[in-house]
Every structure is written in structure tokens, then in C-alpha cells.
Amino acid sequence: MEPLFSEKQLQDMSKENIITLIQAMQVHQKKQETEIQLLKEKTKELEFMNALLSDRLALAQRKQFGSSSEKYAEGYEQMDLFNEAEQEADPNAAEPEMEEIHPKSYKRKKPTGKKEEDLSAFETTEVIKHKLEGNDRFCPECGTKYKVVTTETVKYLKFIPARFEVVEETTYVYACPKCGMMKRPQKDPSLLKGSVATPSLVAGIMNAKYVNGMPLARQERGFARYNLNLSTKTMANWIILCAKRYLQPVYDLMREEFLRGRYIHCDETRLQVIDEPEQKGTTQNWMWVYLTDEYSGSPRMVLFQYERTRGGYHPAEFLGDEFRGYLTCDGYQAYHGLPEQITVTGCMAHARRRFDEALTPLKKGFTKEQLKETTAYQAMARIGMLYKIEELIRNQSPEERYTERQKQSKPLLEAFFGWLHTLEGSVNRSSKIGEAVLYALNQEKYLKAYLEDGHLSIDNSAAERAIKNFAIGRRNWLFSKSIKGAEASATVYSITETALLNGLKPYDYVAYILERMKDLGPFPSKEDLQKLLPWSESIPESCRTNRPGAST
């Protein structure tokens, strides 16, 4: 290769030109080193993917052509359903203290001398006293009667399985013996006309399905063990009717309050509805989730909305012209077409997740020190500093968070994206690290937006947490049969998840709503409905838990 400059040209160069040449060479060398490092990472990533695909091929071939024996490889242990207790039991394990089973709210350690408070939330139904009787009350040495000097009290926790009670209503009908005028006393309206359903029963079914993720078919089998024949179809009908008649008005009022806020989150997750017309059996439908988080300054709530598609017009229709403010979401392009009065902010967790995915294939072939030199690790470290700042300012006011972000986070964020821009021309777009770098750069405007206001969150994790219960339930019941069922599920999930965010027990709260709405009649006033909102001070103490986020 011919040299760029002859020896004479180099000797004749001025000092300034030589410095410029050296600086250009340093920039070129740095770029070459970056490209070499990225190629090494790409090689490791391909090796990882090759090994992963080889394992999958071997497993597929074994399933198709291999032995069907259930014998496992040496050293591999599978938990057996019927001897789980024997395998898991440990005679040397310490017996848990009562405070470990039922911890007191916000107390990591049990306060000394206050063990009696551990079960204060539960009613004491049985008191057993151990006293000396008869001649045992006298000292055998001197015959003097013993005197009580102290008492030792120990509490135990009993579990009583669910039980059913029948409420019988008898209405007496009166008639005037002289003129025949008849009269009957007024009675409380039933939850569903001609049905045995009660608020407590329907609330129990909803709680089991939507909070605990238990499908109706499994509940049907559970009821059968109590000699109760409640079919899946009957329970589904109850849920749909009660959701529409009693819970939907509360949901609608929650939505009104939601649209008055200025800081919200949005996300979407898959749901298959079998009876959607003119769609294939493999077509996915969508459950959209809208919520306020702890920084929003509005009442905490989650609103689920069933939609047939993932089109960007759905959030536009849901928010309408009323909402004006910030919407935090992931990088889904549909959100970026929302009206101008809505400012979209991005999710740093999604960007971080892509760098983490790029780092995973490298862990097998690199040492810890080599990993620290990788682009993915350095990106993760830079993002980690931003999250550390968020952790430190979490309990500060929005104004204080804004000030600290401008002072600490903004310089780090600017440096982070400046560094990413230097990599843009070097990364392989088909590699994991290439995908991560380009995703972050494409989302730069939205990932920086949280610096604008102290009410905003750095990511959309709040929405992902809100979807968690729905996702767990979906793994159990897999799909919704009808559109009405999907819409009812959206309503019930909104009520139960919002109850959890506001420190309410979902079962007690839903039962309370059903009971009150039944008594309020078909046209309750807005004032009465406001008293039923999850954050209302009118909600009875019996519906509240001393552990926000706990479920019953």
C-alpha cells in the first residue's frame, strides 16, 4: 500500500499541519477500534444464536425421533406432584414467626414487645385459658395457695375454608277483609331478578377470576366440591350483567376524572376474542391500558379498554378532545400520531431492555472485564446512572425533581446520546447492539421528554405493572369467548386494579359497590357515584387494607 505522504512532504509540513494530521489519525484509529469491538460483539452474538438454534434443532429431533422415556438425565431432578411435601420438607428449617406470615404494614422488622399487634386486623374468635384447678392450686411443699404473677399469651392463626349460607326472604302479603285492598311490605331489590346471585357471591367470583387469575371452569369445579352446581355459563352471565349494570357507571366516572388529568401512561397487550366477526381464529385483538402513576398529581387509577385492533386511532378516540397533557408510552409508532395537544414521552426501560438483550449473548464468551468494555455494558451503565438519580429524588416534590433532573440527569442524557451518535455509522444494523443503538436514537426526542416536567416518569413501567395481573390471568383462561365478555373483563379489571392502587381489598370493594348500586336503583345521581370511587373517603374501613397493593 502506497503511503499517503512521502518522507519529503512530511519533513516540509508545518507544525500546525502535523498536529491536524495526528488528530485526524487519532479519530480514524478510534473509529477503527470501535468497529473492531462491534465486530467482536457481533461474532459472539452469532455464536450464541448458532448454539441456541442447534439446541432447538436437537430438541425438535429428539421429540420427533428420540425415545419417549420419561427418565431424566443424571443430576436432573423434577418435582413430583405427589411427593412435593416430602421433597420440600426440611426438619431443620426454623418455624416462621407470626410477623413473617402476617407482617405489619410498612414494618420490615417486628417492633419489640408488640407481637399482639401482628394479628390485630383479624378477629379473635376463640380464647383458651389454662388455669390450675383443684388441689393443683396449692403448693405441695408448704400448702400455700399459688398467686398469679404473670400470664403468657400466644396467638395462633387458623384457616377456615369458604362456606356458603342461604338467605331466605319471606314477604307477607296483607289484604283488607272488608274491602279487599291488598298490601305488601317493601323489600330490598335483588341483584339480578330471578337469580340466586348476591353481591358477595358475584364479588367472590370476580375476585377469583380477575385478581387471582382463576378461570371460571376451575371455579366451577371448586364449587362442585361444596355440592354447589354453578356452571361456567351462569357465572359468565352474572359477570357480564353486573359489570354492565353496576360497575360501568363507576368506570365512566373514573374516566371523566382521568381525562381531567395532565400526566398519563398508556400500553396495550394481546387478547384473543373468539366471536369477533369476520376474523380468523389466529387473529389477535387488543386490551388497551390507560393509567395515572404516583407522580401524576391525580387520583391513582387504571382503565382497561377492549379494542379489536392495535390501531393508533384507539387512544385518540379514548382520550378525545378533552385530554391535554403528557402521555408516557413505549416506542410504538401509533402513539406518535396523536393530536398536538398530547405530548408523547418515551420509555427508558424499553431502551435499556434492548441493550440488555444485546449483552446476553456476550456473557458466555467474554470475561467480566471484557464485558465491561462492550458497547451494551457501557450503555447499560450510563442508563443505570439516570435511574440512580430517579431513585434518589423519588420522594421529592415535582418542582424539586425537575430542578435535580436539569442539574444531574440532563448532562448525562446529552452525553449518552452524543456517544450513541458516534456509534451510529459503525454498528451493524442487523445485530442486537445495532438494533439497540438505532432504537434509542430513533426515540431520542421522546426519551429526553421526561426532563420537561417533574410530574413525568422516566419510563412506562407503571403501565407494565398494571398489565401484569391481566397477563397472569390470560395465561390461565387464554381467550375471551365474546365481545361482551371482553368488555366486561375490561370494566372489572379497571375496578379491581384501581382498588389495589388505592389500598382497597378488591373483593370487599366490589361487593360494596354491587350492594350500594343495587340499592341506588337504575339511575343513581353523580353525587352518589362519586362516593363509590376507589379514592373516596366515603369507602368503609372494612374495604381498606393496611398494605397498599395487597389483594384478597
Side-chain angles (χ1 to χ4, degrees), residues 268-523:
E268 72 289 333
T269 186
R270 291 176 176 83
L271 168 70
Q272 188 177 24
V273 178
I274 302 299
D275 287 349
E276 271 286 3
E278 300 179 3
Q279 76 172 21
K280 297 179 180 179
T282 55
T283 302
Q284 293 291 339
N285 308 114
W286 296 86
M287 189 70 81
W288 292 75
V289 183
Y290 307 87
L291 73 148
T292 56
D293 70 3
E294 59 185 319
Y295 300 134
S296 66
S298 304
R300 297 292 304 276
M301 72 183 90
V302 183
L303 298 177
F304 286 75
Q305 180 85 357
Y306 167 71
E307 301 290 359
R308 181 172 180 172
T309 70
R310 201 188 181 195
Y313 54 88
H314 292 307
E317 289 177 352
F318 184 88
L319 299 174
D321 296 328
E322 299 173 62
F323 178 75
R324 297 175 180 273
Y326 292 89
L327 183 145
T328 302
C329 56
D330 57 27
Y332 181 37
Q333 189 63 33
Y335 293 117
H336 301 156
L338 291 172
E340 292 183 357
Q341 71 266 21
I342 299 176
T343 303
V344 174
T345 72
C347 176
M348 190 65 73
H350 275 73
R352 180 177 61 180
R353 200 169 295 152
R354 280 168 167 76
F355 286 109
D356 184 55
E357 290 171 357
L359 188 64
T360 299
L362 309 180
K363 293 179 180 178
K364 190 174 182 180
F366 283 10
T367 65
K368 288 184 178 180
E369 293 303 317
Q370 289 175 324
L371 276 179
K372 291 181 180 179
E373 299 298 322
T374 63
T375 306
Y377 185 94
Q378 293 176 34
M380 293 277 288
R382 289 170 181 262
I383 295 174
M385 288 190 286
L386 295 172
Y387 273 92
K388 185 62 178 179
I389 294 171
E390 292 302 304
E391 182 182 341
L392 294 174
I393 64 176
R394 178 172 183 173
N395 295 322
Q396 296 183 9
S397 68
E399 294 75 19
E400 292 170 330
R401 282 198 298 273
Y402 171 78
T403 301
E404 290 301 319
R405 284 172 176 173
Q406 294 297 313
K407 186 190 305 181
Q408 301 185 56
S409 302
K410 187 174 182 178
L412 292 176
L413 205 55
E414 295 291 349
F416 172 60
F417 280 105
W419 173 67
L420 289 182
H421 279 292
T422 65
L423 302 174
E424 188 175 5
S426 304
V427 293
N428 186 329
R429 292 174 178 265
S430 64
S431 66
K432 287 289 185 182
I433 189 62
E435 290 178 8
V437 170
L438 295 177
Y439 175 86
L441 289 175
N442 289 336
Q443 296 293 312
E444 180 177 0
K445 169 186 173 183
Y446 307 105
L447 294 176
K448 288 181 176 180
Y450 83 99
L451 299 175
E452 297 178 9
D453 195 309
H455 290 89
L456 297 172
S457 296
I458 190 174
D459 58 34
N460 200 34
S461 297
E464 295 185 359
R465 287 193 297 270
I467 288 177
K468 185 178 179 182
N469 264 353
F470 176 84
I472 292 172
R474 183 182 55 199
R475 284 201 295 268
N476 288 325
W477 40 259
L478 300 180
F479 57 83
S480 285
K481 178 69 171 64
S482 67
I483 298 174
K484 287 184 178 180
E487 291 173 346
S489 293
T491 301
V492 180
Y493 269 120
S494 301
I495 297 294
T496 56
E497 290 299 309
T498 303
L500 291 171
L501 287 178
N502 286 274
L504 303 181
K505 294 179 273 190
Y507 165 76
D508 297 272
Y509 176 59
V510 172
Y512 174 71
I513 291 180
L514 295 177
E515 189 70 56
R516 289 290 298 128
M517 289 293 290
K518 173 177 71 72
D519 295 338
L520 289 173
F523 305 107

Side-chain angles (χ1 to χ4, degrees), residues 112-318:
T112 305
K114 294 187 178 181
K115 187 174 181 179
E116 67 277 0
E117 293 184 10
D118 294 334
L119 298 179
S120 59
F122 300 102
E123 179 186 2
T124 301
T125 58
E126 183 180 1
V127 177
I128 302 174
K129 295 184 178 182
H130 301 281
K131 294 183 178 182
L132 295 176
E133 302 290 343
N135 293 331
D136 290 339
R137 293 179 297 170
F138 297 90
C139 176
E141 298 296 329
C142 63
T144 305
K145 186 177 180 180
Y146 284 120
K147 179 182 178 181
V148 176
V149 291
T150 187
T151 59
E152 299 172 347
T153 301
V154 180
K155 290 187 176 183
Y156 302 97
L157 187 62
K158 291 174 65 176
F159 172 71
I160 300 175
R163 63 191 182 95
F164 299 91
E165 297 178 350
V166 174
V167 177
E168 183 178 275
E169 282 190 1
T170 302
T171 303
Y172 289 84
V173 181
Y174 300 85
C176 176
K178 185 174 181 180
C179 67
M181 173 69 72
M182 300 185 70
K183 187 176 183 180
R184 69 175 66 205
Q186 187 176 359
K187 65 175 184 178
D188 294 335
S190 59
L191 186 70
L192 298 172
K193 188 175 181 180
S195 171
V196 298
T198 59
S200 60
L201 180 56
V202 175
I205 294 170
M206 288 181 173
N207 185 74
K209 176 175 171 64
Y210 297 105
V211 180
N212 298 330
M214 184 181 293
L216 296 181
R218 196 178 302 167
Q219 293 191 55
E220 179 182 354
R221 294 193 294 271
F223 286 137
R225 289 190 283 272
Y226 289 93
N227 298 317
L228 186 64
N229 296 320
L230 269 183
S231 69
T232 298
K233 182 178 290 187
T234 297
M235 289 186 284
N237 289 339
W238 289 353
I239 289 175
I240 292 173
L241 288 171
C242 289
K244 184 68 175 176
R245 189 177 304 175
Y246 300 121
L247 302 185
Q248 189 65 40
V250 179
Y251 174 96
D252 292 339
L253 196 58
M254 287 167 54
R255 182 181 175 186
E256 285 185 27
E257 182 67 35
F258 179 82
L259 295 177
R260 282 195 288 268
R262 290 194 64 240
Y263 309 94
I264 64 173
H265 293 251
C266 184
D267 204 352
E268 72 289 333
T269 186
R270 291 176 176 83
L271 168 70
Q272 188 177 24
V273 178
I274 302 299
D275 287 349
E276 271 286 3
E278 300 179 3
Q279 76 172 21
K280 297 179 180 179
T282 55
T283 302
Q284 293 291 339
N285 308 114
W286 296 86
M287 189 70 81
W288 292 75
V289 183
Y290 307 87
L291 73 148
T292 56
D293 70 3
E294 59 185 319
Y295 300 134
S296 66
S298 304
R300 297 292 304 276
M301 72 183 90
V302 183
L303 298 177
F304 286 75
Q305 180 85 357
Y306 167 71
E307 301 290 359
R308 181 172 180 172
T309 70
R310 201 188 181 195
Y313 54 88
H314 292 307
E317 289 177 352
F318 184 88

Side-chain angles (χ1 to χ4, degrees), residues 74-91:
E74 183 178 356
Y76 182 90
E77 295 183 4
Q78 184 194 39
M79 181 61 70
D80 188 276
L81 176 65
F82 300 103
N83 66 349
E84 181 181 6
E86 290 80 352
Q87 290 195 26
E88 288 293 289
D90 182 3

